[in-house]
Amino acid sequence: MELQLALDLVDIAGAKDIISEVADYIDIVEIGTPVVINEGLRAVKEVKQAFPFLRVLADLKIMDAGGYEVMKASEAGADIITVLGVSDDSTIRGAVEEAKKQNTKVMVDMINVKNIEERAKEIDQMGVDYICVHSGYDHQAAGISSFEDLLKIKRVVTHAKTAIAGGIKLATLPQVIDAGPDLVIVGGGITSAQDNKRAVAAEMKQLVSQA
């Protein structure tokens, strides 16, 4: 089981500062959609150059032109690129095909997928590398958790690795770990720890590594 740090509400300099604090305890750093919107794929490139030992995920939430967008993110240094599970099958397959050429990986984000178990089963057959259940900011504000969705996809996914994102904190991490995802994605649970981001990341990494 691995730990991914999600960075959303920062600029490139702010991202580098946070990563510097916690780099010893994370496996993947996510350049979140808001960062990409504000800074462009330059954010992916600069973070990869600054931290070449970390895998970098570009959270593009691709909905169309899967092959092209995976190509551009890969060229910027992304190791993993996200595609939306609600997008067309041809978009997902195009992303997977291009990722294989680029030696990068595809994560499908299941945010807003209605029949999550059925769709996860379909996507699992398309050759994607990760399937991620995700409670976005709006879901979290409404008190919606992705934990039940994780249990659902765990029942049907046999090829891809499973991931969970959205509102995970130190207090809820043990329950998440018990469900057995391959990747745990934490944003505010680390970044909102004002003066002890490093200590929180270290404790989370220790728990995740024991799973």
Side-chain angles (χ1 to χ4, degrees):
M1 196 179 294
E2 293 187 306
L3 181 63
Q4 176 173 311
L5 172 67
L7 297 174
D8 286 324
L9 305 177
V10 291
D11 56 15
I12 293 173
K16 288 180 181 178
D17 287 344
I18 294 171
I19 298 165
S20 294
E21 284 189 64
V22 303
D24 292 340
Y25 304 108
I26 60 173
D27 302 290
I28 302 168
V29 59
E30 171 187 331
I31 304 304
T33 315
V35 182
V36 176
I37 288 171
N38 291 329
E39 301 277 11
L41 284 171
R42 183 171 62 93
V44 173
K45 186 173 185 178
E46 289 198 25
V47 166
K48 187 63 180 179
Q49 287 174 342
F51 304 94
F53 54 91
L54 289 175
R55 279 167 287 159
V56 176
L57 179 143
D59 189 20
L60 300 191
K61 293 188 176 72
I62 294 169
M63 187 69 179
D64 189 25
Y68 177 78
E69 296 195 9
V70 164
M71 177 182 69
K72 300 311 289 184
S74 300
E75 288 173 355
D79 300 285
I80 308 168
I81 302 102
T82 63
V83 182
L84 291 178
V86 294
S87 60
D88 194 80
D89 288 1
S90 62
T91 301
I92 298 173
R93 290 195 178 100
V96 169
E97 185 179 338
E98 184 62 32
K100 286 177 179 172
K101 291 180 191 173
Q102 300 285 345
N103 197 28
T104 52
K105 297 187 184 300
V106 169
M107 175 185 286
V108 173
D109 185 333
M110 302 295 280
I111 192 168
N112 286 336
V113 169
K114 299 306 179 192
N115 190 332
I116 200 159
E117 204 164 330
E118 181 182 325
R119 186 61 173 151
K121 195 172 182 179
E122 292 171 353
I123 290 168
D124 193 37
Q125 302 302 314
M126 297 181 197
V128 306
D129 301 284
Y130 297 89
I131 297 177
C132 177
V133 294
H134 180 195
S135 293
Y137 285 112
D138 296 336
H139 285 164
Q140 291 173 48
I144 298 170
S145 162
S146 51
F147 183 73
E148 289 299 323
D149 288 339
L150 175 61
L151 297 178
K152 287 177 184 176
I153 72 163
K154 286 286 290 183
R155 288 197 288 266
V156 298
V157 172
T158 57
H159 302 295
K161 293 182 176 180
T162 58
I164 181 170
I168 299 170
K169 297 177 173 57
L170 203 49
T172 58
L173 185 57
Q175 182 189 25
V176 170
I177 290 171
D178 284 345
D182 297 291
L183 178 62
V184 178
I185 302 170
V186 180
I190 291 174
T191 59
S192 64
Q194 295 298 333
D195 299 319
N196 60 341
K197 292 180 184 65
R198 185 175 175 84
V200 172
E203 192 170 348
M204 285 188 166
K205 180 59 177 172
Q206 184 178 20
L207 290 170
V208 165
S209 299
Q210 290 170 351

